[in-house]
Amino acid sequence: MKRTYIFLLCLILYGCGSRLEKRNEELRYQNPDSNEVWLATELLGQKIGYSVSRYGKTADGFRFDNLTRLTLGMMGKKQFVRTQSTVITYSDLSLDSFNFELNSPDGFFRSSGKVEKDQLTVNTGQGVRIWKLTRQLYPIEALGTVIVQAKPAPGAILNYLTFDGTVMDTLPTVVEVLGQETIKTAGETREALKVKVRRAKFDVTIWLDNNGMTLKEESPIGMNSYRVSEKEALAGEPGYPPDVLRLFAVAVDTLIPHPEKVKRVVLEISGIDTAEFKLATANQRILSPSPLRLEISIPDVPKGIRLPINVEDEYLKPSISIQSDAELIKKKAAEITKGLKDATDAARRILLWTFTSLNKEAVASLPNALDVLKSMKGDCNEHSVLYAALARASGIPAKVAVGLVYLEGAFYYHAWNEVYLGQWVPVDPTFGEFPANALHLKLAEGELSQQAEVLGVVRKIGIKVVEFE
């Protein structure tokens, strides 16, 4: 089973550059006894790339290898992105170990992990994260085989815990078995098991062969994959690819001339399940459930709070992408806030430094604060993880908020921050706003897997601006 749909969502989150250095496109693992599957991937009916997967038995379990290469359009540029993964499983297909790589013009990311007893340890080279496991963990690459081997009846609902190297997280995964279906792919008519898989609040429909490998895959965002020959997969992509950012713009019929000055807004929202998304927050208030009306207001920024702030401890700790305990991060934070005792002054100075210091570039990477500090470039995701790390290193609780922001007649995916200054205050280091304007619709908070949840709803959501001031 592929990870392409959530992988593309993450690339949209992280942004794109414009060039890729050539690398060997062959999988490192060459096992003559392995099986091989080639898939072409389309976006809005236009081919944007391919993947090749090989799988076979090992002495104690199975091995799955995957290489994916996509050509994406973003902001008028072509971006080439390549991922490669190797997964080793036990005989029951649960995860033993993995290696994951992402290569783009903007950098190279590698991670590895190992399951021992009831613990998954992941190492990115920049940090280590440990998950305590309470049930069996399956790699997403093996999920199709797990489903097929279960021999489920039509209508069955299966629940799994899966790991996806793209978002560096474990994800509850629900599979609805739709039944057997005859489909034609790669010039052949085949019997397939049709299933709907839900991860990160996003549904994808997949047709599986008898080995659990993908024959066809369809998603609501218009990205589909289907089985092809090796020659067809490697044939290249015609023309300029669709611009992925346009997929996630939510147009509104109200033109707001100075959005940076908006302190309060009322939005009427449709197409979102309020049971899945927590819309009521410190700065967002639900005015009515039907139609769903949401008021967003910006609080006054408190003063007189001394450093360090010893509450909201969870948001002072380092994480896999917010390495607030790294020496370079701590040194830079101390340099920026030198001489300051007031937490609000320190939070504002960190924001202004981040806003003025980072080059505003869309990059294709898995953003983490340490790499951003070294490269000194990025878009909203890079700004937000670096800001959070510098704030935490200075003793200010900070988190990453994700959702939609208004720009020139539409709401677009965006990431910003919230800092705790006696209350949670939204701030935006990408736009240099302290506090952030009220046209920031928060849908989630957290790191990669939580951010991916937002893009699943953007294609469904409707927004009407009722009033603003």
Side-chain angles (χ1 to χ4, degrees):
M1 177 174 289
K2 294 175 66 225
R3 60 155 63 91
T4 304
Y5 78 91
I6 201 165
F7 168 53
L8 179 58
L9 294 183
C10 291
L11 290 180
I12 295 165
L13 288 171
Y14 311 142
C16 287
S18 61
R19 57 189 172 80
L20 176 72
E21 302 203 2
K22 279 198 166 186
R23 294 189 60 179
N24 184 359
E25 295 289 86
E26 289 297 317
L27 288 172
R28 294 175 184 170
Y29 174 53
Q30 299 290 344
N31 181 348
D33 297 324
S34 67
N35 297 284
E36 187 173 272
V37 171
W38 292 82
L39 298 171
T41 297
E42 292 183 347
L43 182 62
L44 302 180
Q46 183 174 331
K47 186 185 176 192
I48 61 168
Y50 69 88
S51 71
V52 54
S53 299
R54 295 192 180 101
Y55 60 99
K57 289 186 176 181
T58 64
D60 302 312
F62 297 88
R63 176 167 176 159
F64 295 81
D65 291 83
N66 176 270
L67 182 147
T68 296
R69 189 179 188 279
L70 297 179
T71 303
L72 302 174
M74 185 172 285
M75 300 174 65
K77 297 179 180 179
K78 268 190 178 182
Q79 170 66 58
F80 303 93
V81 182
R82 176 184 183 274
T83 68
Q84 184 169 310
S85 65
T86 296
V87 167
I88 306 297
T89 77
Y90 294 106
S91 58
D92 64 356
L93 293 167
S94 63
L95 179 64
D96 174 12
S97 61
F98 79 92
N99 287 281
F100 174 78
E101 297 177 358
L102 181 146
N103 181 50
S104 81
D106 301 299
F108 180 71
F109 172 83
R110 176 183 288 132
S111 64
S112 61
K114 173 72 175 174
V115 173
E116 293 180 301
K117 297 182 179 179
D118 60 348
Q119 181 172 290
L120 167 65
T121 302
V122 174
N123 191 332
T124 66
Q126 303 280 20
V128 174
R129 183 177 176 186
I130 297 174
W131 286 262
K132 290 292 185 181
L133 303 175
T134 58
R135 56 174 167 152
Q136 210 78 306
L137 179 66
Y138 298 97
I140 194 61
E141 292 86 348
L143 181 60
T145 307
V146 174
I147 295 168
V148 168
Q149 288 192 0
K151 298 180 180 179
I157 303 294
L158 309 175
N159 289 275
Y160 300 102
L161 183 65
T162 62
F163 179 81
D164 192 331
T166 307
V167 293
M168 301 301 298
D169 207 349
T170 59
L171 297 171
T173 302
V174 180
V175 178
E176 180 183 356
V177 180
L178 303 178
Q180 294 290 327
E181 191 171 292
T182 302
I183 64 171
K184 188 172 183 178
T185 182
E188 297 182 27
T189 300
R190 299 170 180 261
E191 286 297 315
L193 179 64
K194 183 179 180 182
V195 298
K196 183 167 72 175
V197 178
R198 184 170 182 79
R199 292 187 296 148
K201 298 187 172 99
F202 194 89
D203 294 328
V204 61
T205 303
I206 304 174
W207 288 258
L208 301 169
D209 66 16
N210 291 334
N211 293 314
M213 303 303 288
T214 301
L215 288 166
K216 187 169 71 169
E217 178 178 293
E218 293 182 350
S219 75
I221 65 171
M223 187 174 68
N224 305 322
S225 297
Y226 51 92
R227 187 83 62 90
V228 294
S229 67
E230 177 180 356
K231 182 178 179 181
E232 290 175 298
L234 297 174
E237 292 78 48
Y240 185 82
D243 193 312
V244 294
L245 281 179
R246 296 181 185 274
L247 293 173
F248 297 98
V250 182
V252 295
D253 59 6
T254 301
L255 184 62
I256 301 175
H258 298 288
E260 72 280 1
K261 296 181 180 180
V262 174
K263 301 296 183 183
R264 176 183 172 275
V265 66
V266 176
L267 303 177
E268 188 170 299
I269 301 171
S270 60
I272 188 168
D273 186 348
T274 56
E276 288 195 331
F277 290 89
K278 183 183 176 182
L279 297 180
T281 68
N283 305 304
Q284 294 182 172
R285 183 166 65 100
I286 296 176
L287 299 180
S288 68
S290 183
L292 176 59
R293 288 196 172 185
L294 191 70
E295 178 190 60
I296 307 172
S297 56
I298 301 307
D300 294 330
V301 180
K303 290 281 289 182
I305 301 173
R306 294 184 64 82
L307 289 171
I309 299 175
N310 296 314
V311 294
E312 299 288 349
D313 291 350
E314 177 185 352
Y315 301 103
L316 288 169
K317 297 175 183 176
S319 71
I320 202 165
S321 61
I322 302 174
Q323 306 105 319
S324 54
D325 59 344
E327 286 304 317
L328 283 178
I329 297 288
K330 292 191 293 185
K331 182 179 178 181
K332 179 56 69 174
E335 176 187 315
I336 296 168
T337 61
K338 185 177 180 180
L340 297 180
K341 303 295 183 182
D342 185 90
T344 299
D345 291 342
R348 180 182 284 108
R349 187 179 289 182
I350 293 168
L351 182 130
L352 291 176
W353 181 89
T354 305
F355 171 66
T356 57
S357 299
L358 263 61
N359 291 324
K360 306 295 187 284
E361 295 183 24
V363 298
S365 67
L366 299 181
N368 69 80
L370 200 51
D371 282 347
V372 177
L373 184 58
K374 293 174 182 177
S375 69
M376 295 300 291
K377 66 180 181 179
D379 54 23
C380 63
N381 299 284
E382 283 73 27
H383 283 70
S384 60
V385 294
L386 180 57
Y387 181 82
L390 293 170
R392 292 181 186 185
S394 303
I396 306 168
K399 55 188 173 184
V400 176
V402 291
L404 302 170
V405 68
Y406 176 90
L407 291 170
E408 300 177 350
F411 280 83
Y412 294 87
Y413 167 82
H414 190 53
W416 61 98
N417 295 96
E418 293 179 352
V419 289
Y420 189 80
L421 302 167
Q423 64 188 61
W424 286 106
V425 178
V427 299
D428 195 327
T430 305
F431 297 140
E433 296 180 354
F434 192 100
N437 72 68
L439 293 167
H440 288 67
L441 171 59
K442 181 181 174 183
L443 297 175
E445 63 184 49
E447 299 194 35
L448 305 183
S449 58
Q450 289 76 31
Q451 294 172 27
E453 294 177 355
V454 171
L455 292 176
V457 76
V458 172
R459 293 279 285 175
K460 305 174 185 176
I461 198 171
I463 299 175
K464 179 181 178 181
V465 179
V466 178
E467 58 183 86
F468 65 93
E469 58 189 56

